[in-house]
Amino acid sequence: SISGEICPVVNTVTPRAFYWPFIVWIYYDFYKYSGIDERSYDAFDTYLKRQDYFFVLATMLNSNSDQTNLVGKQQTEQDIHDNPNGPYQFNPAYFKTRFGGMQYYNAGSLSMLFVIDYDPESDKTYSFPKLTKEGEQMALTFENVIKDTKYYKSYRRNDSYVPKDILLEYGKVINLGLKGFDESKDLLRHGLFETKRNSKLADCAAYIIYLYTKYGIKSLNRDDCRVLFYDHITPSGESVVINPELATIINEWEIVVGRQYFTSGLEMIWKYMLEQLTRPITMKTWFEDVLSYSDFSWDLEQKITDVILECNYDFKQRETMIRDAAKGKNTTSSVENGIKILLSVYNRFRIRTDLGDEKAFFSYGIDSQSISMDEVFDIVDEFKNKSIKEFILFVMQQWLVEQHYITAFEKMLQNRDGFYYEIIDGFYIKKHDFGMDFQGIRMIQLMQIMKDLDML
């Protein structure tokens, strides 16, 4: 939720800029095609998938093409293997879900108002989206680049087989990196970064440009993001100087990563708890087993105040504890290490004088029956003068077993079974083990999109 607010439109499954102009053009071409009886989502899905399939095919047939984050490769690759010389028939099975490789890009097209499904002036909701003037302009700039290809002129709108040489020509023009689509890139830069509604995305882009120009950060992965955004250290070990103009967005990403660490601390304990659930037992016995099979450097009768100040770790220390738990290494320390991670996040954020409106993110989770950071702060404060054991028991019962029940039950109402345990006559029975990993960070995809748009 926080990531979506501070980094709108671009998310962890929209890593390439190309798909936005492409889908907008497909809307445009779909509307002006008189051979379609009904303007509906089902008809559009079929039309879109034909265009997407032959784009993927044309890209893969050109051996030197940019295929990074190209979606729909698996079945298309098999089609090429089965028929290396062509011609090729549209294979609707190349992608099962609606909108093919663009299923996650449609929302961005709506957010940037290239297409709309609601007209605020007339208060009218459309059964199928309509292009705006900006959307039509985007579509025309895209079409101007591909309109001279034989695929565009003779094959895009019929069910005939497409010869290999036609796709080879098409693949040299249409491309994932948007090379040659300069006007489309101009319009997309404006839609993403130069409108008031996407001002937060522009802040994220400014943060990336700052890291790129001042510290030479030319690529990002999840590990890079955590050390940069939380510890403010570059992957090469250089300390990042906080630019005052970017302080708000820097603090917001620090909170996002802090929540990830809080989640990881809980996951470390949860994974170990499930590993001890080897037979049907009561909750009381389950917790006793977890504690008795764990190793602690702490005396569990000590108060939280006795150990909390020592819970401050650098990137390597934190990541080693989390990685060991994830890989099943030194697992008997998982409970203590998980608590250490939780307390380190408390130490980082509980008393901060440099945070302004960003503090609002500490309340996130209350409305969704999740655990807010404000709740974490209050509970740790409440337990400071209680024993470490009491705090661990609270975390296991309230933030893991009970919280998991709330979340998994909500999924059951959506016909998704997310339970890791069953409860029969008061006995807990494990259904399956738990694997932990960090959530994605949108700045990785944003950086790639900025490269596609010649912003870096």
Side-chain angles (χ1 to χ4, degrees):
S1 297
I2 299 171
S3 294
E5 190 164 318
I6 67 175
C7 187
V9 186
V10 176
N11 56 52
T12 57
V13 286
T14 58
R16 298 306 298 261
F18 166 85
Y19 285 106
W20 282 305
F22 189 35
I23 193 173
V24 172
W25 169 72
I26 294 171
Y27 269 113
Y28 172 80
D29 205 48
F30 176 75
Y31 263 110
K32 72 176 187 178
Y33 181 27
S34 59
I36 296 172
D37 296 328
E38 181 187 8
R39 298 296 185 269
S40 68
Y41 275 111
D42 287 343
F44 179 69
D45 182 53
T46 301
Y47 193 73
L48 177 148
K49 283 181 176 173
R50 177 179 177 83
Q51 304 311 320
D52 189 33
Y53 175 73
F54 284 114
F55 158 66
V56 176
L57 201 55
T59 301
M60 297 187 69
L61 285 169
N62 281 272
S63 57
N64 295 323
S65 62
D66 181 354
Q67 297 182 21
T68 304
N69 299 120
L70 178 69
V71 184
K73 291 194 289 187
Q74 187 173 0
Q75 181 59 52
T76 310
E77 191 172 40
Q78 185 63 47
D79 292 346
I80 294 172
H81 180 270
D82 294 341
N83 182 18
N85 298 315
Y88 299 95
Q89 185 180 30
F90 169 49
N91 181 0
Y94 87 105
F95 213 102
K96 293 181 180 179
T97 56
R98 177 176 276 189
F99 290 8
M102 285 163 280
Q103 57 178 316
Y104 299 109
Y105 290 85
N106 190 56
S109 300
L110 290 161
S111 296
M112 288 183 278
L113 302 184
F114 291 129
V115 294
I116 56 173
D117 55 10
Y118 170 74
D119 184 354
E121 292 185 7
S122 63
D123 194 29
K124 182 178 180 181
T125 300
Y126 303 124
S127 59
F128 182 77
K130 295 185 181 297
L131 267 84
T132 62
K133 289 181 180 179
E134 293 84 356
E136 185 171 337
Q137 187 181 6
M138 172 67 83
L140 288 171
T141 64
F142 190 89
E143 185 172 83
N144 283 338
V145 179
I146 65 171
K147 67 181 181 180
D148 293 327
T149 63
K150 292 176 183 176
Y151 171 81
Y152 175 90
K153 291 177 178 178
S154 304
Y155 291 93
R156 80 185 195 280
R157 286 182 172 172
N158 58 55
D159 294 328
S160 61
Y161 285 70
V162 182
K164 182 176 181 178
D165 64 312
I166 299 296
L167 291 169
L168 286 169
E169 180 213 24
Y170 188 48
K172 291 175 181 176
V173 177
I174 193 169
N175 63 91
L176 198 57
L178 285 176
K179 296 186 186 307
F181 291 84
D182 293 342
E183 291 183 84
S184 297
K185 288 193 278 192
D186 283 342
L187 293 174
L188 188 53
R189 279 193 296 266
H190 176 77
L192 284 170
F193 305 110
E194 298 170 10
T195 63
K196 187 176 181 180
R197 62 181 172 273
N198 288 338
S199 61
K200 293 302 295 182
L201 187 62
D203 291 343
C204 289
Y207 191 4
I208 286 177
I209 289 171
Y210 178 67
L211 294 173
Y212 184 91
T213 55
K214 188 172 178 62
Y215 297 98
I217 305 298
K218 294 185 170 17
S219 64
L220 290 171
N221 58 40
R222 285 183 293 178
D223 291 359
D224 295 338
C225 288
R226 290 195 302 279
V227 70
L228 275 165
F229 301 158
Y230 197 72
D231 297 275
H232 307 303
I233 302 292
T234 70
S236 62
E238 185 179 4
S239 295
V240 174
V241 177
I242 305 301
N243 183 336
E245 295 178 2
L246 300 174
T248 297
I249 195 67
I250 288 172
N251 289 338
E252 289 169 341
W253 277 112
E254 184 184 346
I255 291 170
V256 168
V257 178
R259 273 217 66 110
Q260 288 196 355
Y261 278 128
F262 166 70
T263 301
S264 293
L266 288 178
E267 288 181 337
M268 293 161 70
I269 302 169
W270 180 235
K271 185 175 186 294
Y272 187 72
M273 287 175 65
L274 287 170
E275 289 168 359
Q276 310 318 308
L277 191 57
T278 57
R279 65 196 190 284
I281 49 177
T282 64
M283 183 188 293
K284 182 175 182 294
T285 304
W286 184 11
F287 291 176
E288 288 172 350
D289 283 357
V290 170
L291 293 179
S292 65
Y293 296 142
S294 294
D295 290 326
F296 293 97
S297 62
W298 292 334
D299 178 350
L300 295 189
E301 298 305 321
Q302 284 181 281
K303 294 179 180 179
I304 292 293
T305 51
D306 295 334
V307 298
I308 191 169
L309 293 180
E310 71 186 50
C311 296
N312 289 292
Y313 309 102
D314 61 26
F315 178 76
K316 184 177 180 181
Q317 291 169 322
R318 266 193 321 273
E319 296 281 322
T320 298
M321 287 189 279
I322 294 167
R323 185 174 59 250
D324 284 354
K327 292 184 175 180
K329 183 179 177 182
N330 301 323
T331 56
T332 55
S333 299
S334 290
V335 174
E336 179 175 297
N337 287 343
I339 295 295
K340 286 178 176 178
I341 297 293
L342 298 184
L343 294 178
S344 74
V345 175
Y346 169 91
N347 286 336
R348 171 64 69 93
F349 293 111
R350 183 60 175 122
I351 302 173
R352 285 281 289 272
T353 58
D354 62 318
L355 299 179
D357 293 341
E358 310 94 278
K359 283 188 174 181
F361 292 130
F362 292 148
S363 67
Y364 275 43
I366 295 173
D367 295 338
S368 58
Q369 289 188 291
S370 187
I371 303 166
S372 71
M373 293 306 296
D374 280 336
E375 179 183 339
V376 175
F377 302 151
D378 291 343
I379 292 298
V380 173
D381 285 341
E382 179 185 332
F383 276 83
K384 272 186 176 178
N385 290 311
K386 297 181 181 180
S387 70
I388 297 170
K389 181 179 180 180
E390 288 176 278
F391 182 59
I392 292 173
L393 291 172
F394 172 88
V395 169
M396 289 197 294
Q397 181 174 350
Q398 297 298 323
W399 286 352
L400 289 167
V401 176
E402 296 295 336
Q403 183 63 39
H404 176 61
Y405 185 91
I406 292 169
T407 304
F409 186 75
E410 285 291 321
K411 291 181 181 179
M412 289 286 282
L413 299 179
Q414 302 165 16
N415 294 318
R416 295 185 296 150
D417 185 357
F419 272 100
Y420 282 87
Y421 59 69
E422 291 181 355
I423 311 172
I424 300 176
D425 297 330
F427 287 83
Y428 286 79
I429 304 167
K430 179 170 66 178
K431 294 178 67 175
H432 50 84
D433 285 313
F434 173 74
M436 54 184 286
D437 197 4
F438 283 103
Q439 192 178 38
I441 294 180
R442 296 170 180 230
M443 294 285 266
I444 300 167
Q445 289 71 32
L446 177 57
M447 189 174 210
Q448 177 60 58
I449 283 168
M450 292 171 68
K451 289 178 182 177
D452 290 345
L453 297 179
D454 305 325
M455 297 171 68
L456 299 173

